[in-house]
Structure formats: structure tokens, C-alpha cells
Amino acid sequence: MTAETFDWPVLNRYDVAHSLRVALPLGGIGTGTVSLGGRGDLRDWEVVNRPAKGFAPRWSFFALRTAPAGSTDPADVVARALEGPIDLVLYEGGHGSGVPNHGLPRFRRSEFLAAYPFGQVVLDDPDVPADVRVQAFNPLVPTDAEASGLPVAVLRHVVTNTADHPLDVSVAGSVSNFVGTDGSEGVAKDNHNTVRRGEFGTGVLLTSDGVPRDAEQWGSLALAALGEDDVTTRTAWADHSWGGELLDFWDDFTADGRLEERVSGTDTPTASVAATRTLAPGETHTFTFLLGWHFPNRRNWDRTETVGNHYATKYADAWQVVADTVPALAEFERRTRTFVQDVVGSDLPHVVKEAALANLSTLRTQTCFRTADGRFFGWEGCSDDVGCCAGNCTHVWNYEQATPFLFGALATSLREVELGYATGADGRMPFRIPLPLERAQTDPGPAAADGQMGCLVKLYREWRMSGDDDLLRTLWPAAKRALTFAWIPGGWDADRDGVMEGSQHNTMDVEYFGPNPEVGVWYLAALRACEEMATYLDDKEFAATCADLFARGSAWLDEHLFNGEYYRHEIRPPGSEDAIAPGLRLKGIGARDLVNPELQIGDGCLADQLVGQELAHLFGLGDLLDPAHVRTTLASILRHNRRDTMAGHFNPMRSYTLGDEAGLVVASYPRGNRPERPFPYFDEVWSGLEYTAAVGMICVGMAEEGVRVIETTRSRYDGRRRNPFDEAECGHHYVRAMASWGAVPALTGFGYDGVRRVLTFAAASTTGAGTGTTRWFWSNGWAWGTVEQTRAAGAGVDVRLDVREGSLRVRELTLTGLGSVDLGERTLGPGEQVTVRVPAA
């Protein structure tokens, strides 16, 4: 159901039975997060430069107290943790329930509402004389990485007095000072909490005098109550034993809703902030708290050197984070709400919007970070307590489409690192980028064929969507070297026939030997991209070379690899290491036998064999292979790789689907002839590859089939089985799953050529007697807004284009299959719009 509640859009609702796994990350791009749990708790405090699944400070919760105005009679007091019921599966433990704060009274019923980044928990209890909901978010504004990169969580508690008399209402938040530990390493020592006051409100700053200032775990936290409510604080809880510290806090808070100070000698003193207000019958009040953090000492991939955090360069400590956020908070919320409303209100299938928004959360988790100089980096995903698979892994980041469409500057940063720093004089690009960046040249790692070719396609993408000729001219020499690297002796395409036959390390963590569709189509896409870039730069000879290789390679793949249903892998053993150029093998994990190599695809049908074609379709590079073969292949993937149930499915590796769940396996062998030992992940199910196949289907007119694949994927993230905001593969919050955003431009036909300044959409299918209207969200990484198409009374379609933010240079508007309109030379800024009629051709 799509609805709006308390002025926040709602896309999905999770009842108590489907809230167990829900954990919505709150935090900014590159800042780490704390998550709002499905019952309203704060969990997974991952703010200290590393993942920390399951970590929460000992006392970290919010609580509500109500009583008739002026009453101090304990019999009149109703107090609850601002959380819903604990799921039954969490009741048992060797020493009772292991849930944090399990002994606090809580609301009997709850429901979680979400449209990322907005999360709401509706709490209900017949004994509480108030309607209560928890609202939490962090600003998320396309094109504005700074506004979307705030190290703060906004936590609101909306309380409506349902009694027939005035109520004294208090909301208190508590958090233990854990500075010095990140959930798995480090020790808190000599920590202190200090009351702070500002024009915006009152709170507590949590710091340390005993943790080394250069430690990863050194930093600060702040908890503040905003507004003019009556606010009291504690900088410490009593040093009692046997649960006495919690008992003392609860007795103090429930007595009158106010807090009295305590003195503590512990290294981890607990800070509490309480806000009190009297509400008339029927009155609603919002108690707003801000939780801020500041941990500046991020380390590099192997944690040997400090690279810093971009966000930390803007603030002195966590209190300044809060103080600087408050004045702009209303505007941040408005901009975020506008973005989410525009997506939620688009005439797209519900599940497409859900998958697109939910996976944006990955950008804010510890999967991604920005170093002190502002550059953007990312792991592949996160293990429970450490990043997983370092280095902006090129072959994994190839798949995601959220960053380029929403944050063009961050996507450009990735290209500048890959081509401006990592690509060597010989054109070799290590598929994992070391930090500091200087290591990329002094100790380059192996190259991945799919990753390197994909980076060339992505350079074309970033150039076209930005229209930034300087970007292209600056990075073109390295891009040209990266393509010609494929032609070195013993290389990927040593005979320069447009077909990759050499040792091709790839996203399956092994090397393929011989022509195959996954890497081969990436190569075709790269050749087309380089042809276009070379032509624009008047490098005619190189453009002609690329065009020739593309034509020959495309024809060869269609003739020799297409088996009537899909494209297969023709295994060509290299025979010995001498036949393989240096830097093309990752030792220890690929085939050991180079005469009869194991870990190959062979006659398998790969779910992502056409990923290069998907990007070519999305970014205007055209057909790389016979369109009829492409469509047949996508239909074959759906037919052969889909499993309606995993009950009878054997999988020797990791399981991301189980039991009665459905999904697309990475590879199937419908004709038999499976290698004795195929590549390792063939029987797994990866959501990122499912989205890739789905978007590919949509691009060739199989929209119904593509949406059905996305529905299958998202059905597994129902809040009960898995967290809707954590699609795992090799780690939590896996980058590849952001391929889900690609369905938005695929279904809307959106394209933007910033060089030619042409904006393109599909001609929407409208119904009715000239009254049908279709509304879509659009974005190109540098601007975003909405487009409405209404069938005109006569021939053609009336189009209204709105720019919400950013700057859009446009001279032509095209509706594919209908016609184009010359708009003249114009630049549309925030709040501007243009209305035109596109006549039928």
C-alpha cells in the first residue's frame, strides 16, 4: 500500500510478525549508521569506522512516561520503553532473553512503516493514554552528497493525548558512552559526559580523555533534545550492582518525568536526556532528538594507515554536528521528503520503487566511505565486524546504478580513482584499488577483464550524463591505455579479433579461459564506448579500430557462442602459465590445472551474461549482439535459471535462498554437460544478478517478466526472513544489489545526453479519451525532478518537465517512438519547469 502518514511517504508496512529483521540504517553517505529496528529499538551501532552487527551500547533506548497533569501518584503513572513487543524467537537464552533492555515494559503492538530513508514505528497499547509513533530519518537528497552525508540520526516521538484530561508527557533517551570501542575492538577509558546547551536545545556530549586521539575508536557522540520543552539531563547513572543502575534510572524517570544528576566512576558513564511537556486532550506534540557522532580516524583497507573521514573535517566534535544540522534540518527534511514522494508517487510498479529506494541504504552503511580529501570508496559489502572485499572492486561496482543516477560527483570520483590514479603506464588497472592511492602504482594488483572493460563503459556514462568534456579529456589517455591493454601478448584479446580468449579474471573470483558471454559482452560495450569517445575527441584512427573490433567480435559471438537459447562459454585452456601475460591471474583461487582447467562456465546459462548489453541499452550504446538472440537469451535465463522453490535445490556454497523461496540461480545447465567442477558460485542466488537480468528484460520489451523477477527477489526481504534494507551477497549491504535502481530508467525510458543536451523518455502508455496522465521521477546524477505526460486532445502528448534540484542543460526533448521538440538553448534550475507538446511523428 502506498500512503502518506504524518506528512511522510509510506511505501511498505511491516506488522509485528514481519518486523523481526527490519533494521533501517540512519546516517549519511560515508558516516556509518545506527539502525532503527522493527520494534523501534536502536541496533547495529556502526558509527565507529567499521561494521558492528549486533552491537549496541549497554543502555541505549528511549522511554515514555505519562501521568495526569500535576499528579505524582505512582498509580497514575504509565511508563514504557518506546518499543514494540519482543519477538517470541528472542525469548530464550541461557540467562534469559539476550535482547538489550529486555526487562523494560513496552508497547503491546507495533507496526513499522517505511519509504527509505524514512522509518516509522506505530506503537499501540490500551494501557497508554496516548497514540505514539517513532519517526526517524537522515537527509537523503540526490545530487547533494554533503546534505546526504551528515553523521546524525533524527529521532522523533510523536505523542497525541487520547485522554479526556491534560497529561504530563516525558520522553527520555539514554546512551552509554562507548567511545574507545567499535563493538569488537578497543577499550573505553576515562570517558566523560558533559551537559551542553544551545539556542536549539539541550543535550549531552560524550567524549574520552583516556582513549588515544589517533585511535580508530576515538571520537565523540552527542544526544540532544530540540525545542523549548522542559529538558533535564544526567551525565551518569548510579554505580550500583545487580541491575541497580537501571532500577535507579527508572525510579527517577517515572517519579516525575524529570532526571536528577548522578555521579559515576565507570569508564562508560551513561548519558540521559529527558524532555517534558503538558498536553491538552487531543493535543499532539513531537519530541525531537538528534543523535550525532564524530569519529575522524578511519583507516585504510588493511588498517595500517589513517585516511580519515570527509565528514569529520567539517566538525570539531559531535556537538557541532548537532548544532550545525539543526538550523537546516527543516529544509533537509523538505528536500528529502520531496525526493521520496516523487519516487513513491511515480507510476511505476510498487516493487520497483521498493527495491530502488531500499537498496540506497547501502550508500550510507560502512560498505561506503569518503576519505578526508572527499574521494569516494567502497567495499563490496560488510561482514559482521569488518569490511568485506576491499578496494572499489571494479567488477562488483560495475553492476550498481544508484550512484551514477543520483550522485554524479561520487560516480565521477570513482572514475578519477580508477583511471587517474590506478591505471598504469601499460594500461593495467588493478581491480582492487589500494589506499593510500600511491600504492596503486608501486604495487599494482591483478586486473579483472570484466572490471576493467566496465570502467570504460562507466567513463562514457559519466561523461555523457554530466556533459563534462574536461572529465573526458583528462581521463581519455588512461582509458585508451586501459583498452589497448587487452591486446598485449598473452592478454585478453592478443590476436585483436574483438573476442576475448585469454585469462579473464572476473566477478566469479576465478579466471575464465576462452570466449564467454559475460566478459565478452563487457568487451563489446567497452569497444562501443571507446569508439564514441574517440570519435568525439577526433581520434579517428582509434575510433575506426574500435569499430572494426566491435563488428568482428559481435558477429563472432553471435555465430559461435549462441546455441539457439543462450550464449555459452567455449573453454580454451592456456596450457601453461607462460601463455598468460603477467597481472592477469589472481593466484590461489582460480584453476590449478591449465591443461584441463576447472572452475569454468562451459555450457552453462549465466544469469548475468548480458550485463554489458544492459548498460549499453541504458546509456545509448545500442545493440551489441543480434537483438533477437538477446531477447531469446533473456527468456532462456528466466526459463532455465528460475527455481520456484529451493526445497529440492542442491547448493554446495552459500545460501541466500532457502526452503520455499524462489530465485534465479547464477547459472543453470539445461543441456547437461556441466563441468565436473564449475565456477564456484553457480548454484547460488544473488539479488544483484537477478536485478541485472530483470533490467535487461525491461530494456528489450519484456517488462512484465522483468518486474516479476524483481517481485520474486523482494519477497525474500519481507522483514521476517531478512532485513528489507540489507541485501547480502559477500557481506551485508552488498553493492551489486544497487543494480535495482536500473529498473527506474529502464521502465521510464529515461536517457540524458549532456553533450548533445538531449533528454529522452519513453512515450507513456495512456488510456482514456485524451485524459490519461503518467508521472515519473527522473535523475541524471546532476539534476532531478519529475516528468508528466498527458495525451493531448489532438495528436501528440503534452509534457511537463520539472527540475527539483540541480542544473539541467537541455535543447531537445524526445519521447521515444513519438517525436521530439526543439527547446532551444536553455538551462533549467531548481524549481523551474517547461511545458511542451510533443507531436506524433
Side-chain angles (χ1 to χ4, degrees):
M1 177 185 295
T2 299
E4 285 195 7
T5 307
F6 281 77
D7 203 32
W8 277 7
V10 176
L11 191 57
N12 287 87
R13 297 172 179 267
Y14 303 90
D15 59 20
V16 170
H18 294 86
S19 297
L20 174 65
R21 302 293 183 190
V22 172
L24 185 148
L26 301 167
I29 297 174
T31 72
T33 59
V34 59
S35 290
L36 178 68
R39 64 177 181 269
D41 58 311
L42 294 180
R43 61 181 73 166
D44 300 338
W45 289 62
E46 303 175 87
V47 299
V48 192
N49 298 316
R50 66 185 299 169
K53 292 301 178 192
F55 172 61
R58 186 180 183 190
W59 308 120
S60 56
F61 63 90
F62 282 83
L64 171 79
R65 176 201 184 268
T66 68
S71 174
T72 58
D73 185 347
D76 289 337
V77 175
V78 178
R80 299 284 188 273
L82 281 159
E83 299 179 15
I86 296 171
D87 193 280
L88 296 179
V89 303
L90 301 176
Y91 278 20
E92 185 180 38
H95 299 275
S97 176
V99 172
N101 312 307
H102 48 76
L104 296 176
R106 58 195 62 241
F107 287 75
R108 297 184 186 182
R109 292 180 291 273
S110 63
E111 182 183 29
F112 194 96
L113 316 180
Y116 190 81
F118 295 117
Q120 303 183 74
V121 183
V122 179
L123 299 170
D124 180 54
D125 191 317
D127 296 332
V128 178
D131 287 337
V132 181
R133 75 175 55 216
V134 178
Q135 295 185 313
F137 86 106
N138 180 280
L140 180 61
V141 183
T143 74
D144 192 341
E146 300 302 318
S148 305
L150 302 178
V152 66
V154 182
L155 304 164
R156 290 178 175 154
H157 306 86
V158 184
V159 182
T160 300
N161 179 4
T162 59
D164 58 4
H165 53 267
L167 285 179
D168 287 335
V169 179
S170 297
V171 174
S174 299
V175 60
S176 298
N177 187 337
F178 61 90
V179 174
T181 181
D182 51 29
S184 58
E185 292 186 10
V187 177
K189 183 178 181 182
D190 196 16
N191 289 3
H192 301 283
N193 303 329
T194 308
V195 175
R196 291 290 186 91
R197 293 182 173 85
E199 294 182 0
F200 57 85
T202 300
V204 180
L205 175 66
L206 291 65
T207 58
S208 176
D209 291 335
V211 176
R213 293 180 66 89
D214 61 351
E216 289 178 273
Q217 299 83 5
W218 179 82
S220 60
L221 298 145
L223 179 65
L226 308 188
E228 300 178 354
D229 297 326
D230 180 10
V231 178
T232 54
T233 60
R234 273 190 179 199
T235 58
W237 284 16
D239 287 339
H240 294 332
S241 61
W242 297 103
E245 63 269 60
L246 179 59
L247 175 64
D248 175 74
F249 168 81
W250 197 252
D251 284 349
D252 182 26
F253 175 60
T254 58
D256 59 5
R258 298 171 59 82
L259 301 177
E260 296 179 355
E261 188 59 271
R262 296 291 187 268
V263 177
S264 172
T266 180
D267 283 320
T268 57
T270 297
S272 298
V273 181
T276 301
R277 192 179 186 94
T278 300
L279 301 185
E283 182 181 356
T284 297
H285 181 66
T286 300
F287 298 84
T288 300
F289 291 76
L290 258 61
L291 173 69
W293 56 90
H294 184 269
F295 292 91
N297 300 322
R298 178 177 294 276
R299 298 284 179 86
N300 59 346
W301 311 112
D302 57 9
R303 302 176 68 192
T304 57
E305 296 186 53
T306 297
V307 294
N309 279 315
H310 173 65
Y311 81 83
T313 65
K314 302 189 292 182
Y315 311 102
D317 56 24
W319 187 257
Q320 188 185 352
V321 169
V322 172
D324 287 1
T325 299
V326 171
L329 184 57
E331 182 65 8
F332 286 147
E333 181 178 357
R334 181 196 66 77
R335 296 167 69 195
T336 303
R337 185 174 62 244
T338 298
F339 161 56
V340 178
Q341 286 174 332
D342 284 346
V343 175
V344 170
S346 291
D347 293 316
L348 294 171
H350 175 279
V351 73
V352 169
K353 296 181 284 190
E354 174 194 335
L357 283 176
N359 281 303
L360 292 184
S361 59
T362 295
L363 288 173
R364 329 251 276 186
T365 66
Q366 289 289 352
T367 293
C368 302
F369 60 94
R370 297 179 70 186
T371 50
D373 57 12
R375 291 191 176 95
F376 183 63
F377 293 90
W379 302 82
E380 293 182 26
C382 293
S383 297
D384 286 353
D385 59 2
V386 67
C388 183
C389 305
N392 292 11
C393 180
T394 57
H395 54 58
V396 170
W397 279 84
N398 270 352
Y399 288 76
E400 71 92 12
Q401 297 300 323
T403 307
F405 277 106
L406 297 177
F407 297 99
L410 298 185
T412 296
S413 172
L414 292 169
R415 307 293 83 76
E416 290 171 340
V417 167
E418 294 154 356
L419 292 162
Y421 285 85
T423 302
D426 62 352
R428 174 173 151 194
M429 179 195 299
F431 73 90
R432 298 195 188 278
I433 312 299
L435 280 173
L437 289 174
E438 292 73 20
R439 292 187 186 179
Q441 294 300 315
T442 59
D443 187 23
D450 56 349
Q452 187 151 327
M453 295 301 104
C455 287
L456 299 177
V457 179
K458 292 182 292 186
L459 172 61
Y460 173 82
R461 177 186 68 193
E462 268 64 271
W463 165 57
R464 298 298 281 203
M465 287 219 292
S466 67
D468 186 349
D469 284 355
D470 289 339
L471 173 71
L472 176 61
R473 295 184 190 280
T474 299
L475 298 183
W476 174 246
K480 190 173 178 179
R481 296 197 307 273
L483 183 64
T484 59
F485 179 75
W487 309 334
I488 63 174
W492 298 320
D493 183 17
D495 60 0
R496 297 181 63 167
D497 63 352
V499 179
M500 283 195 169
E501 305 95 351
S503 174
Q504 303 152 62
H505 190 77
N506 64 86
T507 197
M508 300 302 169
D509 294 326
V510 296
E511 288 79 43
Y512 295 151
F513 302 111
N516 65 87
E518 190 262 314
V519 184
V521 178
W522 270 124
Y523 184 32
L524 295 179
L527 288 167
R528 278 288 297 117
C530 287
E531 177 191 353
E532 292 290 329
M533 292 185 286
T535 298
Y536 186 80
L537 295 173
D538 202 30
D539 191 344
K540 297 177 182 177
E541 182 178 354
F542 196 72
T545 297
C546 293
D548 174 62
L549 290 177
F550 168 77
R552 289 191 285 138
S554 175
W556 195 95
L557 264 63
D558 270 323
E559 180 180 355
H560 296 280
L561 296 190
F562 186 70
N563 65 7
E565 290 188 286
Y566 56 88
Y567 294 87
R568 60 179 295 278
H569 172 203
E570 181 182 300
I571 302 173
R572 295 185 186 178
S576 71
E577 291 282 356
D578 294 338
I580 302 172
L584 300 189
R585 286 256 282 160
L586 185 59
K587 300 298 176 62
I589 64 173
R592 298 178 182 178
D593 185 348
L594 298 183
V595 175
N596 185 26
E598 68 275 31
L599 306 177
Q600 304 296 293
I601 308 169
D603 286 336
C605 176
L606 276 177
D608 66 330
Q609 61 186 280
L610 295 175
V611 57
Q613 179 64 84
E614 176 208 354
L615 265 70
H617 279 148
L618 286 177
F619 302 106
L621 288 172
D623 293 319
L624 306 181
L625 297 164
D626 185 321
H629 291 177
V630 167
R631 188 180 175 94
T632 297
T633 296
L634 290 165
S636 297
I637 291 170
L638 187 58
R639 181 169 64 256
H640 296 314
N641 292 40
R642 181 180 169 84
R643 302 289 181 268
D644 291 326
T645 175
M646 295 295 160
H649 179 68
F650 172 79
N651 172 19
M653 290 285 287
R654 306 162 301 185
S655 291
Y656 302 109
T657 53
L658 290 165
D660 64 349
E661 295 177 324
L664 294 183
V665 295
V666 174
S668 63
Y669 287 86
R671 300 186 173 196
N673 200 28
R674 194 206 77 189
E676 182 179 353
R677 286 192 62 205
F679 67 94
Y681 310 123
F682 74 102
D683 259 341
E684 295 185 353
V685 174
W686 298 354
S687 66
L689 298 196
E690 291 176 297
Y691 293 133
T692 297
V695 174
M697 293 173 194
I698 294 168
C699 287
V700 299
M702 299 169 61
E704 182 178 342
E705 294 89 339
V707 171
R708 191 163 65 244
V709 170
I710 297 173
E711 287 174 342
T712 297
T713 302
R714 286 301 295 179
S715 70
R716 304 194 299 264
Y717 295 87
D718 64 353
R720 179 70 181 178
R721 308 175 194 218
R722 298 174 186 82
N723 181 7
F725 308 100
D726 179 6
E727 294 196 17
E729 189 187 306
C730 189
H732 298 283
H733 310 293
Y734 201 73
V735 163
R736 200 186 323 258
M738 289 191 287
S740 59
W741 188 269
V744 176
L747 283 168
T748 62
F750 171 79
Y752 177 67
D753 184 338
V755 179
R756 297 172 51 238
R757 304 181 188 180
V758 176
L759 184 65
T760 303
F761 295 96
S765 175
T766 56
T767 59
T771 59
T773 297
T774 299
R775 188 172 186 269
W776 290 326
F777 171 86
W778 63 267
S779 59
N780 72 340
W782 304 92
W784 60 278
T786 60
V787 62
E788 288 187 359
Q789 297 185 39
T790 304
R791 180 179 296 173
V797 172
D798 290 330
V799 179
R800 170 174 162 167
L801 178 74
D802 283 271
V803 175
R804 301 292 198 194
E805 299 211 19
S807 178
L808 182 72
R809 299 183 303 166
V810 60
R811 65 162 62 104
E812 181 181 304
L813 175 67
T814 296
L815 297 185
T816 303
L818 186 66
S820 301
V821 173
D822 186 345
L823 301 177
E825 291 287 346
R826 65 173 70 191
T827 299
L828 301 176
E832 295 186 329
Q833 63 181 242
V834 60
T835 301
V836 297
R837 175 166 296 180
V838 180

PDB file of all heavy atoms in Angstrom, residues 503-519:
ATOM      1  N   SER A 503      43.220 -15.221 -20.411  1.00  0.00           N
ATOM      2  CA  SER A 503      42.907 -15.464 -18.998  1.00  0.00           C
ATOM      3  C   SER A 503      42.139 -14.273 -18.449  1.00  0.00           C
ATOM      4  O   SER A 503      42.691 -13.196 -18.255  1.00  0.00           O
ATOM      5  CB  SER A 503      44.203 -15.671 -18.219  1.00  0.00           C
ATOM      6  OG  SER A 503      43.952 -15.767 -16.835  1.00  0.00           O
ATOM      7  N   GLN A 504      40.863 -14.484 -18.174  1.00  0.00           N
ATOM      8  CA  GLN A 504      39.969 -13.378 -17.828  1.00  0.00           C
ATOM      9  C   GLN A 504      39.489 -13.507 -16.388  1.00  0.00           C
ATOM     10  O   GLN A 504      38.513 -14.205 -16.095  1.00  0.00           O
ATOM     11  CB  GLN A 504      38.763 -13.374 -18.772  1.00  0.00           C
ATOM     12  CG  GLN A 504      39.134 -13.281 -20.238  1.00  0.00           C
ATOM     13  CD  GLN A 504      38.091 -13.926 -21.129  1.00  0.00           C
ATOM     14  OE1 GLN A 504      36.936 -13.495 -21.164  1.00  0.00           O
ATOM     15  NE2 GLN A 504      38.490 -14.976 -21.855  1.00  0.00           N
ATOM     16  N   HIS A 505      40.188 -12.839 -15.476  1.00  0.00           N
ATOM     17  CA  HIS A 505      39.699 -12.801 -14.099  1.00  0.00           C
ATOM     18  C   HIS A 505      38.410 -11.988 -14.084  1.00  0.00           C
ATOM     19  O   HIS A 505      38.274 -10.996 -14.803  1.00  0.00           O
ATOM     20  CB  HIS A 505      40.733 -12.183 -13.162  1.00  0.00           C
ATOM     21  CG  HIS A 505      40.356 -12.338 -11.719  1.00  0.00           C
ATOM     22  ND1 HIS A 505      40.505 -13.516 -11.037  1.00  0.00           N
ATOM     23  CD2 HIS A 505      39.786 -11.473 -10.847  1.00  0.00           C
ATOM     24  CE1 HIS A 505      40.074 -13.373  -9.803  1.00  0.00           C
ATOM     25  NE2 HIS A 505      39.615 -12.144  -9.650  1.00  0.00           N
ATOM     26  N   ASN A 506      37.467 -12.412 -13.246  1.00  0.00           N
ATOM     27  CA  ASN A 506      36.136 -11.817 -13.323  1.00  0.00           C
ATOM     28  C   ASN A 506      35.424 -11.885 -11.976  1.00  0.00           C
ATOM     29  O   ASN A 506      35.983 -12.350 -10.981  1.00  0.00           O
ATOM     30  CB  ASN A 506      35.324 -12.510 -14.409  1.00  0.00           C
ATOM     31  CG  ASN A 506      35.078 -13.959 -14.077  1.00  0.00           C
ATOM     32  OD1 ASN A 506      34.131 -14.300 -13.380  1.00  0.00           O
ATOM     33  ND2 ASN A 506      35.957 -14.851 -14.556  1.00  0.00           N
ATOM     34  N   THR A 507      34.190 -11.456 -11.979  1.00  0.00           N
ATOM     35  CA  THR A 507      33.446 -11.295 -10.739  1.00  0.00           C
ATOM     36  C   THR A 507      33.126 -12.605 -10.046  1.00  0.00           C
ATOM     37  O   THR A 507      32.670 -12.599  -8.905  1.00  0.00           O
ATOM     38  CB  THR A 507      32.155 -10.499 -10.999  1.00  0.00           C
ATOM     39  OG1 THR A 507      31.622 -10.007  -9.768  1.00  0.00           O
ATOM     40  CG2 THR A 507      31.108 -11.371 -11.701  1.00  0.00           C
ATOM     41  N   MET A 508      33.349 -13.734 -10.692  1.00  0.00           N
ATOM     42  CA  MET A 508      33.174 -15.025 -10.038  1.00  0.00           C
ATOM     43  C   MET A 508      34.438 -15.465  -9.302  1.00  0.00           C
ATOM     44  O   MET A 508      34.539 -16.610  -8.845  1.00  0.00           O
ATOM     45  CB  MET A 508      32.752 -16.096 -11.060  1.00  0.00           C
ATOM     46  CG  MET A 508      31.438 -15.784 -11.756  1.00  0.00           C
ATOM     47  SD  MET A 508      30.060 -15.582 -10.586  1.00  0.00           S
ATOM     48  CE  MET A 508      28.796 -14.914 -11.662  1.00  0.00           C
ATOM     49  N   ASP A 509      35.416 -14.561  -9.201  1.00  0.00           N
ATOM     50  CA  ASP A 509      36.638 -14.778  -8.420  1.00  0.00           C
ATOM     51  C   ASP A 509      37.546 -15.859  -8.991  1.00  0.00           C
ATOM     52  O   ASP A 509      38.390 -16.416  -8.279  1.00  0.00           O
ATOM     53  CB  ASP A 509      36.315 -15.097  -6.957  1.00  0.00           C
ATOM     54  CG  ASP A 509      35.668 -13.917  -6.248  1.00  0.00           C
ATOM     55  OD1 ASP A 509      36.029 -12.776  -6.566  1.00  0.00           O
ATOM     56  OD2 ASP A 509      34.805 -14.134  -5.381  1.00  0.00           O
ATOM     57  N   VAL A 510      37.370 -16.171 -10.279  1.00  0.00           N
ATOM     58  CA  VAL A 510      38.247 -17.115 -10.975  1.00  0.00           C
ATOM     59  C   VAL A 510      38.569 -16.530 -12.337  1.00  0.00           C
ATOM     60  O   VAL A 510      38.048 -15.475 -12.710  1.00  0.00           O
ATOM     61  CB  VAL A 510      37.569 -18.495 -11.134  1.00  0.00           C
ATOM     62  CG1 VAL A 510      37.310 -19.139  -9.782  1.00  0.00           C
ATOM     63  CG2 VAL A 510      36.263 -18.378 -11.933  1.00  0.00           C
ATOM     64  N   GLU A 511      39.416 -17.229 -13.080  1.00  0.00           N
ATOM     65  CA  GLU A 511      39.705 -16.824 -14.450  1.00  0.00           C
ATOM     66  C   GLU A 511      38.936 -17.734 -15.412  1.00  0.00           C
ATOM     67  O   GLU A 511      38.956 -18.956 -15.264  1.00  0.00           O
ATOM     68  CB  GLU A 511      41.205 -16.923 -14.762  1.00  0.00           C
ATOM     69  CG  GLU A 511      42.051 -15.868 -14.082  1.00  0.00           C
ATOM     70  CD  GLU A 511      42.341 -16.166 -12.627  1.00  0.00           C
ATOM     71  OE1 GLU A 511      42.650 -17.327 -12.314  1.00  0.00           O
ATOM     72  OE2 GLU A 511      42.241 -15.235 -11.794  1.00  0.00           O
ATOM     73  N   TYR A 512      38.277 -17.116 -16.380  1.00  0.00           N
ATOM     74  CA  TYR A 512      37.712 -17.885 -17.480  1.00  0.00           C
ATOM     75  C   TYR A 512      38.763 -17.961 -18.583  1.00  0.00           C
ATOM     76  O   TYR A 512      39.454 -16.977 -18.879  1.00  0.00           O
ATOM     77  CB  TYR A 512      36.459 -17.225 -18.050  1.00  0.00           C
ATOM     78  CG  TYR A 512      35.276 -17.138 -17.108  1.00  0.00           C
ATOM     79  CD1 TYR A 512      34.356 -16.104 -17.228  1.00  0.00           C
ATOM     80  CD2 TYR A 512      35.061 -18.094 -16.119  1.00  0.00           C
ATOM     81  CE1 TYR A 512      33.251 -16.018 -16.395  1.00  0.00           C
ATOM     82  CE2 TYR A 512      33.971 -18.016 -15.276  1.00  0.00           C
ATOM     83  CZ  TYR A 512      33.069 -16.971 -15.403  1.00  0.00           C
ATOM     84  OH  TYR A 512      31.990 -16.880 -14.574  1.00  0.00           O
ATOM     85  N   PHE A 513      38.842 -19.110 -19.228  1.00  0.00           N
ATOM     86  CA  PHE A 513      39.748 -19.289 -20.364  1.00  0.00           C
ATOM     87  C   PHE A 513      38.897 -19.556 -21.600  1.00  0.00           C
ATOM     88  O   PHE A 513      38.123 -20.506 -21.645  1.00  0.00           O
ATOM     89  CB  PHE A 513      40.711 -20.458 -20.112  1.00  0.00           C
ATOM     90  CG  PHE A 513      41.536 -20.282 -18.861  1.00  0.00           C
ATOM     91  CD1 PHE A 513      41.333 -21.099 -17.755  1.00  0.00           C
ATOM     92  CD2 PHE A 513      42.490 -19.285 -18.781  1.00  0.00           C
ATOM     93  CE1 PHE A 513      42.082 -20.943 -16.605  1.00  0.00           C
ATOM     94  CE2 PHE A 513      43.251 -19.119 -17.628  1.00  0.00           C
ATOM     95  CZ  PHE A 513      43.043 -19.940 -16.533  1.00  0.00           C
ATOM     96  N   GLY A 514      39.030 -18.679 -22.582  1.00  0.00           N
ATOM     97  CA  GLY A 514      38.272 -18.822 -23.806  1.00  0.00           C
ATOM     98  C   GLY A 514      37.087 -17.879 -23.868  1.00  0.00           C
ATOM     99  O   GLY A 514      36.696 -17.260 -22.870  1.00  0.00           O
ATOM    100  N   PRO A 515      36.502 -17.731 -25.063  1.00  0.00           N
ATOM    101  CA  PRO A 515      35.398 -16.789 -25.265  1.00  0.00           C
ATOM    102  C   PRO A 515      34.186 -17.157 -24.416  1.00  0.00           C
ATOM    103  O   PRO A 515      33.777 -18.318 -24.354  1.00  0.00           O
ATOM    104  CB  PRO A 515      35.086 -16.923 -26.762  1.00  0.00           C
ATOM    105  CG  PRO A 515      36.305 -17.534 -27.367  1.00  0.00           C
ATOM    106  CD  PRO A 515      36.885 -18.415 -26.314  1.00  0.00           C
ATOM    107  N   ASN A 516      33.598 -16.158 -23.785  1.00  0.00           N
ATOM    108  CA  ASN A 516      32.414 -16.368 -22.962  1.00  0.00           C
ATOM    109  C   ASN A 516      31.548 -15.115 -23.025  1.00  0.00           C
ATOM    110  O   ASN A 516      32.046 -14.018 -23.312  1.00  0.00           O
ATOM    111  CB  ASN A 516      32.806 -16.690 -21.519  1.00  0.00           C
ATOM    112  CG  ASN A 516      33.510 -15.517 -20.852  1.00  0.00           C
ATOM    113  OD1 ASN A 516      32.875 -14.638 -20.289  1.00  0.00           O
ATOM    114  ND2 ASN A 516      34.846 -15.484 -20.960  1.00  0.00           N
ATOM    115  N   PRO A 517      30.265 -15.226 -22.761  1.00  0.00           N
ATOM    116  CA  PRO A 517      29.393 -14.057 -22.940  1.00  0.00           C
ATOM    117  C   PRO A 517      29.585 -12.966 -21.898  1.00  0.00           C
ATOM    118  O   PRO A 517      29.579 -11.782 -22.252  1.00  0.00           O
ATOM    119  CB  PRO A 517      27.989 -14.657 -22.852  1.00  0.00           C
ATOM    120  CG  PRO A 517      28.155 -15.919 -22.073  1.00  0.00           C
ATOM    121  CD  PRO A 517      29.508 -16.448 -22.446  1.00  0.00           C
ATOM    122  N   GLU A 518      29.762 -13.313 -20.631  1.00  0.00           N
ATOM    123  CA  GLU A 518      29.792 -12.269 -19.590  1.00  0.00           C
ATOM    124  C   GLU A 518      30.914 -11.267 -19.843  1.00  0.00           C
ATOM    125  O   GLU A 518      30.689 -10.060 -19.955  1.00  0.00           O
ATOM    126  CB  GLU A 518      29.934 -12.909 -18.205  1.00  0.00           C
ATOM    127  CG  GLU A 518      29.727 -11.918 -17.061  1.00  0.00           C
ATOM    128  CD  GLU A 518      31.021 -11.386 -16.487  1.00  0.00           C
ATOM    129  OE1 GLU A 518      31.942 -12.182 -16.236  1.00  0.00           O
ATOM    130  OE2 GLU A 518      31.121 -10.152 -16.310  1.00  0.00           O
ATOM    131  N   VAL A 519      32.143 -11.742 -19.982  1.00  0.00           N
ATOM    132  CA  VAL A 519      33.262 -10.839 -20.220  1.00  0.00           C
ATOM    133  C   VAL A 519      33.273 -10.366 -21.670  1.00  0.00           C
ATOM    134  O   VAL A 519      33.584  -9.201 -21.957  1.00  0.00           O
ATOM    135  CB  VAL A 519      34.594 -11.527 -19.867  1.00  0.00           C
ATOM    136  CG1 VAL A 519      35.754 -10.541 -20.027  1.00  0.00           C
ATOM    137  CG2 VAL A 519      34.573 -12.064 -18.434  1.00  0.00           C
TER     138      VAL A 519
END
